[in-house]
Each structure stands twice: as structure tokens, then as C-alpha cells.
């Protein structure tokens, strides 16, 4: 049995270019689908957040229109409520990578606010990447990669092939023009090789021990790839 660390955002908003706070947090499907995949395979999960705060779900991720209808929305909400680890997260600042066999970062716009500039998370990502342990990051989770700097100031993910929530998807979601910055653009500026798939379709990129998913629909396929690496 492996122990998998979920590193999740600790905020409930994303500050837009005009200073307004867009309500957000983590995206439900990006937690529920991998969690169920890992638990069904017999693994355990620990949730960590900055300061150990209980993470906030983006209410939009529980809406029927992003879950295939009301039945799907109810199923995701019930599954999320049944995850005890979310209700009692550990402090990210006290995490020891040696205690875990794999690391996973779900998205939602929350990571754009806190994990993108969190040095503790950044150091964990550098160490996880260098350790060879399976590392999964999905959707807006790759925002955390922006804080993963080495001693010389270079980004640890520079040269890696990844995917992440694209500028096209942010535009179609209606938030690109309101954002301070766009994730795909920032990753490219950091030297990361972003491989974009079709908007909203499942798309997973594997490069060495790193597995990335583009959007919510990529969450389950990403988890399946992480299971292969754990095996």
C-alpha cells in the first residue's frame, strides 16, 4: 500500500486584475476522481494545505452543467463529502516527503492565488521531482510549478514537457481577460514545454516521473497513469 500526498490550495478566492476577489478554491472532480482511483487500488491519502486550513471547494465545480447533469453533480458532492482527509488536513509546512510514495496537486483557480508563490510548496515540488517519486499535477495545479525554483533561480520544471489549463480554455471560461496572468503563458516564460490538447478534452502528458493533466476531464486518466508508476 502506498501513501499519496494531496497538496491543495488553502484559499477561497483568486484576485483578478482589477483587484476583485473571484470566489474559488479547488475543483471537485480533480480531487474526487483521483482520490477514488487511489483508494480503490488500496492506497492511502493525506491532504496538506498551507497552514493546515480546511480547503474550500469551488462551488462552480459542483454545478450540474460541469458534471453531466444534476445526478452527476449530486454524486460528486456526495463523494467529496465522504473524503475525511479533506476535513483534517496536515500543515504543508510540516510535510516530510520521505513519508510519501507519490505527490498529487489538484487544481481549481486557488493555486493561482497561493501555491504559485508558496516557497514551501515550491521546495516540495523540486524535491519530489528530483526524488523520482511519481508526481501528478492537474489543470491549474501547475501554477504551483512557478514557485519551484532552484538555487540559481531557474525553474525546476524548465525543459519538462507538461500540460496545464490552457489560455484557450481560460478564454472560453470567460476569465482570461480578467486575469492578472495566464497559466500557460507563465509556464512557457519559465522554460516549461507546454503541450496543449483540445480544449476540455482529456489530455495527459508523462515526462519521466512527472504526470500532468490539462483540465478536469484529465483527472481520472492522470490518476491511472500515477497508479502505473506506483506499480
Amino acid at each position: 500500500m502506498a501513501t499519496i500526498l494531496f497538496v491543495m490550495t488553502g484559499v477561497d478566492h483568486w484576485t483578478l486584475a482589477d483587484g476583485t476577489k473571484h470566489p474559488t478554491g479547488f475543483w471537485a472532480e480533480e480531487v474526487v476522481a483521483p482520490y477514488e482511483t487511489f483508494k480503490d487500488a488500496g492506497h492511502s491519502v493525506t491532504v496538506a494545505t498551507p497552514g493546515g486550513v480546511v480547503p474550500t471547494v469551488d462551488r462552480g465545480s459542483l454545478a450540474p452543467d460541469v458534471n453531466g447533469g444534476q445526478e452527476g453533480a449530486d454524486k460528486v458532492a456526495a463523494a467529496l463529502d465522504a473524503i475525511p482527509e479533506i476535513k483534517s488536513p496536515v500543515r504543508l509546512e510540516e510535510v516530510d516527503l520521505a513519508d510519501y510514495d507519490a505527490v498529487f496537486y489538484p487544481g481549481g483557480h486557488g493555486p493561482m492565488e497561493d501555491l504559485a508563490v508558496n516557497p514551501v510548496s515550491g521546495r516540495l515540488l523540486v524535491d519530489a521531482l528530483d526524488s523520482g517519486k511519481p508526481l501528478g499535477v492537474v489543470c491549474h495545479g501547475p501554477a504551483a510549478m512557478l514557485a519551484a525554483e532552484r538555487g540559481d533561480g531557474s525553474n525546476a520544471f524548465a525543459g519538462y514537457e507538461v500540460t496545464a489549463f490552457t489560455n484557450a480554455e481560460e478564454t472560453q471560461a470567460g476569465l482570461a481577460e480578467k486575469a492578472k496572468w495566464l497559466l500557460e503563458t507563465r509556464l512557457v516564460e519559465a522554460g516549461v514545454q507546454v503541450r496543449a490538447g483540445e480544449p476540455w478534452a482529456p489530455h495527459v502528458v508523462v515526462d519521466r516521473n512527472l504526470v500532468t493533466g490539462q483540465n478536469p476531464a484529465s483527472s481520472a486518466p492522470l490518476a491511472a497513469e500515477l497508479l502505473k508508476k506506483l506499480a
Side-chain angles (χ1 to χ4, degrees), residues 15-51:
T15 305
L16 302 178
D18 64 359
T20 59
K21 294 182 177 180
H22 175 71
T24 186
F26 68 86
W27 199 260
E29 181 181 358
E30 295 168 23
V31 172
V32 168
Y35 180 86
E36 292 182 339
T37 296
F38 299 144
K39 294 295 282 189
D40 288 348
H43 303 309
S44 64
V45 169
T46 297
V47 171
T49 62

Side-chain angles (χ1 to χ4, degrees), residues 34 37-38 211 218-229:
T37 296
F38 299 144
V211 183
S218 306
S219 303
L222 181 152
E225 288 294 334
L226 278 184
L227 279 186
K228 291 179 185 178
K229 290 191 170 295

